[in-house]
Amino acid sequence: MKIDLIVNDHFMNFLLNTDCNIYFLLGGYGSSKSYNTALKINLMSLMQDRKSLIVRSVKDTLAGSCLDDLMRTAREAGLSEHIKFTTN
């Protein structure tokens, strides 16, 4: 599967790196940290054929932030038909 996306050069190494378990992202407001994290989660889930669990300390903001980013990146990368999103 080929994915054509324009991503921030600052985060290219982050997206392609699969060696780490923990990542520390630096960037100010609007630097695309959340977007690239959501994209990486989607890509890693597909590449490793795994499920992902996303949690946040404030439940009410999860659907309006994390879920929106995950769904948007999947749609923009053309991955929507390969990923199923559920909420509980």
Side-chain angles (χ1 to χ4, degrees), residues 5 8 10 15 20-23 30 32 34-35 47 52-53 57 67-68 75-76 79-80 82-83:
L5 279 177
N8 186 330
H10 179 73
L15 286 173
C20 300
N21 292 322
I22 297 173
Y23 297 90
S32 69
S34 297
Y35 180 89
M47 288 191 313
S52 297
L53 172 66
S57 61
L67 182 60
D68 287 349
R75 184 178 59 252
E76 290 178 359
L79 304 173
S80 295
H82 303 286
I83 300 174

Side-chain angles (χ1 to χ4, degrees), residues 54-65:
I54 312 301
V55 296
R56 189 173 173 134
S57 61
V58 179
K59 176 188 165 219
D60 293 342
T61 60
L62 185 62
S65 61

